[in-house]
Amino acid sequence: MEPVLLAAVVLFAGAYAFINGFHDVSNSVATSVRTRALTPTVAVVLASVFNLTGALLSTALALVLADRFIQLPAGTPGLGILIAGLLAACGWGLWTWWRRMPSSSTHALVGGIVGSGAASTLVGGPNIAESYQVLLQQIVLPLLLSPVIAFVLAYLLVFPTTWLMRYSSPRRGDAGNRIAQSVFTSAFSLGHGMQDGQRTMAVIVLALVAAGFSGTTGIPLWVQIFSGVALAAGSLFGGWRISRTLGSRLVRIDPLRGMSATAVSSSMLFLGAVWLQIPLSSTQTMTSAIVGAGANQRFSTVRFIPLREILVTWLVTAPVTALLAGILFLAISPLL
């Protein structure tokens, strides 16, 4: 039974990475396409290539996440928790993509695993409440604080950028900002691969540990390649349903503010993955940076109706996926 469940976890983890790729490709390309820094085709290809590169570049965050996530029970109960959590995260990703709503795949995954882990205690599973404190402090809090930080940094960055370009003509300034934005767009995709690709790796490693096939001291090469390819494939074949929401519905984005937003969000993803080794939501950092840079013109330019819809989606992501994953786990628990 365990090999079958392990294979199911790997399959659903690949599906999660693929959905993550086509759901989040809009984060990478929306502003650069909107400001005409890149053409849509070039932007998507760059996003796919750098997503794969980022996933293959490092495994440090994946190892940290595998250690910080809930300490799963061994055997089929642990695998069942992961299956229910992944299914809930995949379902939420598809639904928000259909609604053209940028949402956090990370919040969906964390909420799903927490919800299914909590449900496991209702059917005689081990009490894993001690894991929740570590989860809250080292994973949930950074995810909650990062949107505020991204908004503030992007808002402030517009000031020195504008001052540095005070003697440039609008045409020359826009051209320079578009070039810089192309570079930062590639960097954002690289950071997205390092962040989101390694989350998929962490889940597969947890499954291998629960099944007794591996420890958390290293990431197998096949896990790294599998996660990176699934994420890149999703980015390459991703849709454009969310691009308009980010690129035009929230604020008016010009090349300078598009560059500022992309610079802040890409830097945060890099710092989170390489230096701080904490998970950050690429969707939340990019969306918040776009709103922050756009609000620098004046706050009245922010369209608060779509922003309110996005904020509500962010707030309900983890509770909804936790509830859904808990129900799914209780449904499949007789089979475990």
Side-chain angles (χ1 to χ4, degrees):
M1 188 66 176
E2 283 188 6
V4 175
L5 293 177
L6 177 60
V9 171
V10 173
L11 177 65
F12 293 136
Y16 167 79
F18 185 87
I19 294 171
N20 189 337
F22 78 70
H23 190 283
D24 289 0
V25 69
S26 300
N27 303 330
S28 303
V29 306
T31 57
S32 59
V33 172
R34 174 68 177 174
T35 60
R36 294 177 295 172
L38 295 169
T39 64
T41 301
V42 171
V44 169
V45 171
L46 281 177
S48 302
V49 171
F50 282 104
N51 269 326
L52 176 60
T53 304
L56 299 177
L57 197 60
S58 172
T59 59
L61 180 60
L63 292 172
V64 171
L65 288 176
D67 183 62
R68 291 177 183 173
F69 264 128
I70 292 175
Q71 300 300 310
L72 297 174
T76 56
L79 295 173
I81 289 172
L82 291 177
I83 289 173
L86 285 168
L87 284 174
C90 289
W92 183 254
L94 288 172
W95 187 81
T96 51
W97 170 81
W98 181 254
R99 293 294 301 265
R100 295 184 173 91
M101 195 60 58
S103 66
S104 172
S105 301
T106 310
H107 278 185
L109 179 63
V110 172
I113 293 178
V114 169
S116 55
S120 70
T121 63
L122 301 177
V123 291
N127 189 348
I128 53 179
E130 295 181 358
S131 301
Y132 294 144
Q133 184 176 0
V134 177
L135 193 72
L136 176 64
Q137 294 176 347
Q138 302 186 19
I139 294 181
V140 176
L141 283 181
L143 290 172
L144 294 177
L145 293 176
S146 57
V148 178
I149 296 173
F151 176 90
V152 173
L153 290 179
Y155 182 89
L156 295 176
L157 182 60
V158 175
F159 290 114
T161 306
T162 304
W163 183 82
L164 289 172
M165 298 180 59
R166 65 192 183 280
Y167 297 126
S168 299
S169 65
R171 184 183 184 89
R172 183 179 178 184
D174 286 349
N177 283 319
R178 288 189 179 102
I179 294 173
Q181 188 177 2
S182 300
V183 175
F184 286 125
T185 296
S186 300
F188 179 86
S189 298
L190 188 67
H192 178 258
M194 296 177 71
Q195 283 277 348
D196 292 54
Q198 292 189 64
R199 279 193 277 280
T200 306
M201 298 177 205
V203 171
I204 296 177
V205 167
L206 286 174
L208 292 172
V209 172
F213 288 103
S214 178
T216 58
T217 57
I219 305 294
L221 181 60
W222 72 267
V223 173
Q224 196 174 358
I225 295 174
F226 175 79
S227 302
V229 169
L231 183 66
S235 300
L236 185 61
F237 295 102
W240 292 84
R241 298 185 65 86
I242 305 175
S243 294
R244 183 173 176 271
T245 302
L246 292 175
S248 59
R249 288 190 62 200
L250 291 174
V251 291
R252 186 180 63 191
I253 288 291
D254 56 24
L256 185 147
R257 287 167 178 80
M259 183 276 296
S260 300
T262 313
V264 166
S265 53
S266 60
S267 299
M268 288 183 64
L269 292 184
F270 265 106
L271 289 175
V274 177
W275 182 36
L276 300 176
Q277 294 181 351
I278 56 175
L280 298 177
S281 168
S282 59
T283 299
Q284 292 187 347
T285 53
M286 177 59 86
T287 305
S288 300
I290 289 173
V291 176
N296 186 279
Q297 302 169 83
R298 57 184 184 275
F299 277 92
S300 61
T301 63
V302 179
R303 299 179 177 92
F304 286 98
I305 292 179
L307 179 60
R308 182 180 61 194
E309 294 174 353
I310 292 173
L311 291 176
V312 170
T313 301
W314 289 0
L315 289 174
V316 303
T317 292
V320 169
T321 53
L323 178 61
L324 179 58
I327 295 172
L328 288 171
F329 182 85
L330 294 176
I332 66 175
S333 60
L335 304 176
L336 301 177

